[in-house]
């Protein structure tokens, strides 16, 4: 079968001295689902950007339906029938949902595409959007925005749909609906190149899967080759080596590694300070956290007075002596205004000669 999309020995990157992709070759036949899996930073999204014209490769070429499209602008590829559903939202948040759906048709200008007919057909496929046509796209939830993204691609009736991380950030229920839309697109005859972090689901949906590691295709094959111990195969293809626990070690990670000099291993770090040193009040850090480090819900309380470090170590601080020399238990005697307008006598005991201006 002749491939609809051919990525042949492509080397590409975002700067002149770093190659993200190195000799990548991927083919997508008509009406099939091809999966692309790999670790974060392996280059999966770069493959998508190269295929749809956002990134021009340094070496290699990209063919679509037998014609070379390397370096062609993205809006021209849209008219040829290539659509991209990116990882992040591509909707205009201040435009209505209906305007976002009709906007790609103005740029595509493909023969036989009527805006009204395409909208009616899309609403039959996604009836939940009908009640949101007048709402701003930015006011929708994450799952609703993802539905509008798929509906916008469905409006164009593309021959090839590139889908990048469609289930990221969605609940398992909404993610299940997203994978159902992908299967429906394939049943309608679209060719799909799918990237998603859910490796098991990508392998389940795809007829053929590519494994990308550090910008290179390290493994590929049909769905039958992924049957059996999928975890072990994926770990091997992605270059993951899991440290297994030692026998009888109670589930630990094995004996500690020794240093290069052959000496004993480094001692473990000292334990954190006891909770009492942070204060025992319910308003402090110790009162707001429960075991596990999660904040405990409850009524807000006033934070108690925090004693200085010396008081926490040596006990309470003795009260200071008053400046007037009176003992702490003796109450201060109030001053009385003298009737003499020139001076004011104090209410001190007999023998006191202290005079001065009367205080109010």
């Amino acid at each position: 079968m002749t491939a609809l999309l051919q990525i042949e020995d492509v080397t590409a990157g975002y700067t002149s001295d770093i190659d993200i992709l190195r000799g990548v070759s991927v083919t997508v036949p008509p009406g099939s689902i091809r999966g692309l899996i790999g670790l974060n930073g392996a280059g999966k999204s770069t493959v998508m950007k190269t295929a749809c014209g956002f990134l021009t490769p340094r070496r290699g070429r990209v063919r679509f339906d037998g014609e070379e499209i390397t370096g062609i602008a993205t809006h021209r590829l849209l008219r040829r029938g290539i659509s991209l559903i990116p990882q992040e939202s591509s909707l205009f948040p201040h435009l209505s949902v209906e305007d976002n759906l009709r906007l790609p048709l103005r740029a595509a200008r493909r023969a036989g595409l009527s805006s009204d007919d395409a909208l009616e057909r899309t609403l039959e496929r996604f009836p939940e959007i009908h009640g949101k046509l007048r709402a701003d796209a930015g006011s929708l939830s994450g799952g609703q925005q993802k539905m509008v993204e798929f509906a916008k691609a469905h409006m164009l009736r593309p021959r090839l749909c590139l889908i990048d991380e469609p289930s990221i950030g969605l609940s398992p229920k909404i993610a299940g609906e997203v994978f159902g839309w992908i299967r429906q697109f394939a049943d309608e005859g679209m060719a799909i190149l799918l990237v998603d972090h859910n490796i098991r689901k990508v392998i389940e949906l795809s007829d053929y899967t590519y494994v990308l590691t550090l910008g290179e295709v390290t493994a590929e094959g049909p769905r039958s080759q992924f049957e059996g111990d999928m975890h072990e195969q994926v770990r091997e293809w992605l270059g993951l080596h899991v440290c297994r626990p030692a026998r009888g070690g109670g589930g630990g990670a094995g004996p500690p590694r020794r240093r290069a000099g052959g000496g004993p291993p480094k001692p473990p770090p000292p334990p954190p300070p006891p909770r009492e040193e942070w204060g025992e009040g319910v308003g402090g850090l110790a009162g707001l956290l429960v075991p596990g480090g999660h904040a405990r819900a409850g009524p807000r309380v006033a934070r108690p007075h925090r004693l200085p470090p010396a008081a926490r170590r040596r006990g309470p601080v003795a009260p200071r002596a008053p400046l007037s020399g009176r003992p702490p238990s003796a109450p201060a005697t109030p001053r009385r205004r003298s009737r003499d307008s020139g001076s004011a006598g104090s209410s001190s005991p007999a023998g006191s000669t202290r005079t001065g201006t009367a205080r109010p």
Side-chain angles (χ1 to χ4, degrees):
M1 180 184 298
T2 304
L4 182 64
L5 175 67
Q6 291 177 294
I7 301 176
E8 301 175 355
D9 198 24
V10 164
T11 297
Y14 302 99
T15 60
S16 58
D17 55 342
I18 299 178
D19 292 333
I20 305 299
L21 304 179
R22 296 186 293 271
V24 172
S25 297
V26 175
T27 60
V28 182
S32 66
I33 302 178
R34 292 294 173 99
L36 187 62
I37 61 177
L39 296 175
N40 292 339
K44 304 183 297 296
S45 296
T46 306
V47 173
M48 295 292 198
K49 295 176 183 178
T50 305
C52 67
F54 282 114
L55 185 62
T56 302
R58 298 192 183 96
R59 291 186 297 274
R61 56 185 180 180
V62 181
R63 291 179 175 272
F64 179 73
D65 199 13
E67 298 181 5
E68 185 170 353
I69 59 173
T70 307
I72 296 181
T74 305
H75 66 280
R76 297 185 182 274
L77 296 181
L78 189 66
R79 299 173 185 175
R80 297 195 180 196
I82 300 178
S83 180
L84 170 68
I85 301 179
Q87 175 179 343
E88 299 179 354
S89 176
S90 63
L91 304 178
F92 291 91
H94 300 295
L95 293 181
S96 66
V97 172
E98 183 176 356
D99 290 339
N100 274 277
L101 293 177
R102 294 180 182 271
L103 190 60
L105 292 178
R106 302 174 185 176
R109 300 176 184 176
R110 293 178 57 192
L113 284 180
S114 172
S115 177
D116 295 335
D117 295 342
L119 181 61
E120 182 180 356
R121 185 182 65 253
T122 300
L123 292 179
E124 292 178 359
R125 174 65 67 185
F126 302 95
E128 295 86 354
I129 298 180
H130 195 280
K132 301 288 185 178
L133 290 177
R134 302 301 180 186
D136 290 343
S139 65
L140 304 182
S141 64
Q144 292 172 338
Q145 290 188 20
K146 186 62 67 173
M147 182 187 301
V148 176
E149 293 273 7
F150 273 81
K152 186 173 66 172
H154 190 271
M155 291 274 293
L156 295 170
R157 289 191 297 176
R159 301 176 60 191
L160 171 66
C161 190
L162 310 173
I163 306 177
D164 189 9
E165 297 283 1
S167 68
I168 190 169
L170 302 180
S171 65
K173 179 181 178 181
I174 302 299
E177 297 180 3
V178 168
F179 290 123
W181 302 333
I182 296 174
R183 173 58 65 186
Q184 294 174 4
F185 278 17
D187 293 340
E188 294 180 1
M190 297 183 194
I192 296 175
L193 181 58
L194 174 63
V195 169
D196 198 83
H197 64 280
N198 191 336
I199 296 177
R200 184 180 296 273
K201 200 64 180 180
V202 171
I203 295 175
E204 178 184 338
L205 284 174
S206 303
D207 308 318
Y208 197 92
T209 303
Y210 296 89
V211 181
L212 197 64
T213 306
L214 296 178
E216 298 179 353
V217 176
T218 56
E220 60 181 275
R223 187 186 304 117
S224 59
Q225 294 187 9
F226 289 82
E227 296 177 353
D229 190 358
M230 184 182 300
H231 291 280
E232 189 65 29
Q233 294 183 36
V234 172
R235 280 197 295 264
E236 179 182 355
W237 286 335
L238 298 181
L240 300 178
H241 302 283
V242 180
C243 183
R244 298 183 180 277
R247 294 183 179 180
R257 297 182 59 185
R258 292 184 176 272
R259 290 181 290 182
K266 291 183 178 181
R275 181 172 295 180
E276 287 76 8
E277 295 190 9
W278 293 91
E280 298 179 353
V282 294
L285 183 63
L288 292 178
L289 297 181
V290 296
H294 301 287
R296 180 173 61 188
R300 297 187 62 180
V301 294
R303 183 170 182 173
H305 176 68
R306 185 182 181 91
L307 297 177
R312 294 202 299 271
R313 291 195 301 266
R314 304 174 185 174
V317 179
R320 297 181 179 180
L323 298 178
S324 62
R326 300 187 185 92
S329 59
T333 304
R335 296 176 181 268
R336 291 180 296 179
R337 184 184 297 271
S338 173
R339 295 181 179 180
D340 188 2
S341 60
S343 63
S346 67
S347 59
S348 304
S352 175
T353 59
R354 183 177 180 182
T355 59
T357 306
R359 294 183 181 181

